[in-house]
Amino acid sequence: MLHLKEEPAGRLTRDQLIHLTFPLLSDGAMGTMLHQKGVSFDACFDELNITNPSIVGEIHRDYIEAGSQIIQTNTFGANCYKLARFGLGNRVKEINTAGVDLARRVIQGTFKEILIAGDIGPLGVRLAPYGRVQPEEARLAFTEQISALLDAGVDLLLIETMTDLQETRLAVKVARSLNQTIPIIASMTFTRDDRTLLGDSPSIVARTLINEGADLTGVNCSGGPQQILRILRQMHAAIPNGKFSVMPNAGWPEQVGGRIMYAATPEYFGDYAVLFHQNGARIIGGCCGTTPEHISAMKKALSKAVPLESAEPFEVSEQEPEFSRKEEALAPTKFGAKISAGKFVTAVEMDPPRGLATQKLIAGASLLAEAGVDVINVADSPMARMRMSPWAVCSLIQQKVGIETVLHFPTRGRNLIRVQGDLLAAHALDVRNVFVVMGDPTSIGDYPDAMDNYDLVPSGLIKLIKQGFNTGIDHSGANIGQPTNFFVGCALNLTPNSPADEIKNLARKIKAGADFALTQPVFQPEAAREFINRIKNEMGEFNLPILGGVLPLANTRHANFLDQEVPGIIIPPSVLERMRKAGEKSSEEGVKIAVELIEELRPLINGAYIMPAFNRYDLVAEVVEAIKE
């Protein structure tokens, strides 16, 4: 075992932590134990350092007696954002200091050499671009908490249960900037597919956090020991000479009689503790559901282990995640019902991922739903670049976020057989809002030699859906059984180069049965007003709902690019000048301009169709909240 000096702080150096040959045992889940002692999960656990220190101290003492060599302070949620939910946002330093002092007093009473780890959890808010909190705001929050822990004299810092790699990097960076010598452990939690909530792999997490300044990286919470071992091995493969921290849950939780229960026994943890050690773990503990008995069992098992012995092969069976499928419903979509009721709706466009990871997209969709967006539009291979099929993304968003989607459905690259099969697949997944468009030519994309043929133009596909599928027949007239219930949109350019041709095509789409129209980005509201008046004059009765396209400008360079290089977009000099004068606040100015455009167009349109630049969903959320006010 590592020999510890008698000084109360600084007893474990960074070099000692990195070169541990035998693991140190950390305590288990403070929250689980507090709940078992009758504290509600709705209470502020961190405040107990002040209001009920005896209950926290008793748990510390139990873990020490079980064999823990590291005690985590009861400060997991003691940052300004989480404490503010309990009206304690101005007591960050007090609560963190009390947590360290309490742990120290307990240790002194045991007459044992125990390390104090300053426990730092996630802020509990999403960082931009998937949330509203800017990196500098998060930096200040981490600085406040970590400074308090350092001033109180912790021996090391434990940054744990993090879900966002960028937030974790920021926390590590802040910690290292505040103290160059303090040992830092950075630990993230993973989903059942061995990825973080935002899609980062264990190998990327390990390399990133070590490069940022963490001394040990690892995994905690997540699933039980089996999954943790699998993730640990991936991290170890990425950094063969690295040392790691593991703190698994006691299996997956289940609710029994109103209580949260965990199945993994202490003996089971003991078996895995040896495997953790053999695969590079040098800090071993427990998370949700673990008790002092689990720590005791791991200590007993490790006492018999040989340092640095090689691991035996260990097979892990992996199961594919199961997705529930909703029963088909033929009632109007919520999006269609809102438009029919005359409500002003907001739609936001999102691009599918280039690979398998959908976590960041889901996080962005969650932010937009919280901001009040009515529907998410999922594009199909924009700019003819290969991406995940959009109906899968639509289904995932609807399942995981609970907000309806609009499926972009290009006719280009699809023959009649594929068009109809894809439509049935979308409807089976309860994706019933579709936006029919020609699609970008493959010549401009990643695969210029790919098939570019099509059997239907947009008006023809609209007719197939509205007059065919929605009546229960396919293109050949064969019965498909139950009719579909698609709500179909078409494309409209409010500032076209050829107004006559645009009106002619629009008339075909309306005749085919289009239910609504989405427009390209509008930066000239007066020109759009003149064109809509011309449509009404030439077509007579015109009541097709229109969602006006708005693209919030990110900065001056972005505005100039759109104006100079993107066909069909003309940005007035006055707007370009506003963006230039805004300087560092150009993104804020872009939001203001977008809101102003929507308000100018509001008498002419039935909703806003917002297209975020560079995945800046936080800016879109600001636009949506402003226009809803």
Side-chain angles (χ1 to χ4, degrees), residues 200-282:
D200 294 303
S201 68
S203 58
I204 290 176
V205 166
R207 284 193 291 261
T208 300
L209 297 180
I210 292 298
N211 290 338
E212 198 64 62
D215 298 295
L216 264 69
T217 186
V219 54
N220 75 290
C221 201
S222 306
Q226 186 181 88
Q227 184 194 18
I228 295 295
L229 178 61
R230 188 169 65 239
I231 293 171
L232 171 62
R233 284 176 166 167
Q234 293 179 58
M235 289 184 166
H236 203 181
I239 308 178
N241 297 323
K243 304 295 173 62
F244 305 91
S245 166
V246 293
M247 300 178 190
N249 286 348
W252 294 102
E254 60 178 338
Q255 192 165 12
V256 180
R259 296 181 62 189
I260 304 299
M261 305 295 289
Y262 294 82
T265 64
E267 292 73 23
Y268 185 70
F269 261 60
D271 294 338
Y272 271 90
V274 177
L275 291 169
F276 293 151
H277 165 50
Q278 292 169 348
N279 285 273
R282 294 300 175 263

Side-chain angles (χ1 to χ4, degrees), residues 212 266 386 461:
E212 198 64 62
M386 192 283 293
L461 180 52

Side-chain angles (χ1 to χ4, degrees), residues 13 56 79 128 164 223 247 277 300 341 350 382 403 445 521 568 571 590 593:
T13 67
V56 177
N79 64 70
D164 182 342
M247 300 178 190
H277 165 50
K300 181 178 180 180
M350 301 185 79
I403 185 174
I571 301 179
I593 292 170

Side-chain angles (χ1 to χ4, degrees), residues 123 145 165 179 220 225 237 327 369 386 388 450 453 468 480 500 507 614 623:
L123 297 177
Q145 182 182 11
L165 181 56
N179 190 309
N220 75 290
E327 293 294 325
M386 192 283 293
M388 182 181 289
N453 300 329
I480 62 171
F614 314 117
V623 173

Side-chain angles (χ1 to χ4, degrees), residues 144-159:
E144 183 180 25
Q145 182 182 11
I146 295 172
S147 296
L149 293 170
L150 291 173
D151 291 344
V154 296
D155 300 310
L156 65 152
L157 294 172
L158 172 61
I159 300 165

Side-chain angles (χ1 to χ4, degrees), residues 520-541:
Q520 292 189 5
V522 176
F523 288 95
Q524 300 170 290
E526 188 57 40
R529 181 180 294 106
E530 292 177 2
F531 182 62
I532 290 176
N533 288 334
R534 177 172 173 174
I535 292 174
K536 292 178 178 179
N537 290 334
E538 294 189 17
M539 295 182 63
E541 182 178 354

Side-chain angles (χ1 to χ4, degrees), residues 26-49:
S26 179
D27 55 348
M30 175 65 70
T32 298
M33 298 302 295
L34 287 171
H35 183 58
Q36 288 184 4
K37 291 180 179 293
V39 180
S40 169
F41 279 130
D42 296 326
C44 179
F45 289 172
D46 311 279
E47 187 184 18
L48 296 173
N49 295 335

